[in-house]
Amino acid sequence: MEVKIVLGYTFGDEGKGVTVQWLCKKAIEEGKKPIVIRFSGGPQAAHTVNHNGIEHICSSFGSGVLLGVPTMLYDNTYIDPISLVKEYDSLVSKGVEPKIMMSMFNKVITPHDVLAGRSNEKVLKDGTCGMGLYPTFKRYQSKSRIQHTSMLLYYDNGPETILDEALEFYEPDTMYYEEEFLTTCDRLKSIVKMKDATWAKDYDVLIFEGSQGLLLDMDCGFYPNVTPSRVGLNGIESQYLKDAEIYLVTRTYTTRHGNGYEPKYKLNIDLYGKHETNVNNEYQGEFKVGALETTIMNRATERHRIDNYVSQFDCRLNLVVTHMDVVVDGGLFVYEQKYGLNTIAGNIKPSAVLEAITSHLDIPFDKVYYNDSIESNVKQML
């Protein structure tokens, strides 16, 4: 069984979705059976993929969904039944038959969690996607795991058990989408399968799809502007790390959504026609871009001790640089290294961009890949 792990290098929006879809395509072409495993975060993901003229923004589903690859929502993944069912219906309307499984211990987001996050000044200041992850995390922190309503208990006793727990925690004055929550929860039984102890034996390739980026990790990120989830290798069980292939993904420029770290060298990059779907969010604000900061990338691998994982578990570490067409078509690649800002201008070749990046990173890579905006046409650097 092969294990592939796709992680965002810094602050998210790197191209994890197209990387996962490419790995799914490769597996299928090799006659293997892949599955995509969401192991962190929740419906705040916005991984845009295209296949056969269909475009979809993966929120709860893995980025192999347009290829017919099933999704597993592993233990630490947050589930919003309303969001999941809406995405399921959207996929069906596009002619896709999505397949999805879930763990028995996923944290369940209720409408009251969503409202709590959108009305909390600290949450808004620290940065939020407005999807209710942090309030759900705090609610689950208030009790031991065994006291909480898990998805297994929901299947046994009904969705009211989950809603009752949220009502007890928040004591809201008004009803908030409770009827829709209960209705969509009932539909989950016909949409989502529960995993069993032997689920992994049915697949040849396990593709772990990260959410957000390494520097938004709850343990290793730039606190307090982090997500309440372990989004790096620290979020994956050690049994899956042995001999795994890790793919760190970055764009050819720095991206940032939400409060917290700002790109050091802001750029006015033309993303028109590049299928940029995450330009503005009511709670995160504008999508910010800047010169690629290799010093920040080095901070990410250092804080996550990526070199230790590679050594301990005999992993192979790969780099994927996405959105190469933005700098090649624009004729300008601007990046920061240790001693200042550098520019490659004119008739840019992808190899020159990749060489400039890797020469200023502190960690060696087994293979280096690149692709164009939104396309899963990933190529290996010769």
Side-chain angles (χ1 to χ4, degrees), residues 23-258:
L23 291 172
C24 289
K25 283 182 179 179
K26 276 188 61 180
I28 293 170
E29 289 168 358
E30 293 169 0
K32 300 171 183 175
K33 191 175 180 182
I35 183 171
V36 174
I37 302 165
R38 290 284 312 279
F39 67 94
S40 63
Q44 91 289 2
H47 299 173
T48 306
V49 290
N50 282 261
H51 180 65
N52 286 342
I54 301 174
E55 182 167 294
H56 180 70
I57 301 175
C58 294
S59 178
S60 296
F61 284 80
S63 294
V65 66
L66 297 184
L67 304 177
V69 176
T71 299
M72 160 66 79
L73 301 177
Y74 211 66
D75 290 6
N76 292 320
T77 311
Y78 292 77
I79 293 174
D80 180 342
I82 294 176
S83 176
L84 193 154
V85 169
K86 284 182 178 178
E87 186 177 358
Y88 176 86
D89 289 340
S90 173
L91 285 162
V92 170
S93 72
K94 297 173 182 178
V96 179
E97 297 182 11
K99 307 177 191 70
I100 190 166
M101 291 186 289
M102 69 170 61
S103 161
M104 296 181 291
F105 301 105
N106 307 93
K107 295 181 179 67
V108 183
I109 301 171
T110 71
H112 294 291
D113 297 307
V114 176
L115 179 62
R118 293 177 179 181
S119 58
N120 185 295
E121 288 187 12
K122 184 181 187 305
V123 171
L124 295 172
K125 181 180 179 182
D126 291 345
T128 179
C129 297
M131 302 298 290
L133 269 72
Y134 184 71
T136 304
F137 170 75
K138 296 297 288 184
R139 177 165 59 82
Y140 274 76
Q141 260 194 336
S142 69
K143 297 181 180 180
S144 69
R145 179 170 178 150
I146 200 169
Q147 290 177 301
H148 268 286
T149 53
S150 67
M151 289 308 296
L152 180 62
L153 184 59
Y154 148 61
Y155 267 65
D156 290 340
N157 298 346
E160 292 83 3
T161 56
I162 296 174
L163 188 58
D164 287 347
E165 185 178 291
L167 290 170
E168 179 184 351
F169 184 78
Y170 293 112
E171 298 182 350
D173 295 328
T174 59
M175 305 284 278
Y176 188 71
Y177 290 101
E178 293 180 12
E179 184 175 346
E180 183 180 5
F181 177 78
L182 296 174
T183 300
T184 53
C185 277
D186 285 337
R187 285 193 59 196
L188 285 182
K189 292 183 180 180
S190 63
I191 293 173
V192 182
K193 294 182 178 179
M194 301 294 286
K195 77 166 187 175
D196 57 30
T198 62
W199 68 272
K201 295 181 179 179
D202 295 330
Y203 303 96
D204 305 308
V205 185
L206 307 185
I207 303 173
F208 287 80
E209 180 173 6
S211 61
Q212 300 182 298
L214 294 180
L215 291 177
L216 295 175
D217 181 86
M218 64 184 290
D219 294 332
C220 307
F222 290 169
Y223 191 84
N225 310 110
V226 297
T227 188
S229 186
R230 294 181 174 91
V231 303
L233 299 177
N234 56 342
I236 298 176
E237 292 182 31
S238 59
Q239 63 177 311
Y240 299 115
L241 294 177
K242 180 65 176 174
D243 297 323
E245 273 204 270
I246 303 166
Y247 297 81
L248 293 181
V249 187
T250 179
R251 295 198 191 196
T252 50
Y253 45 93
T254 296
T255 61
R256 186 70 177 101
H257 234 146

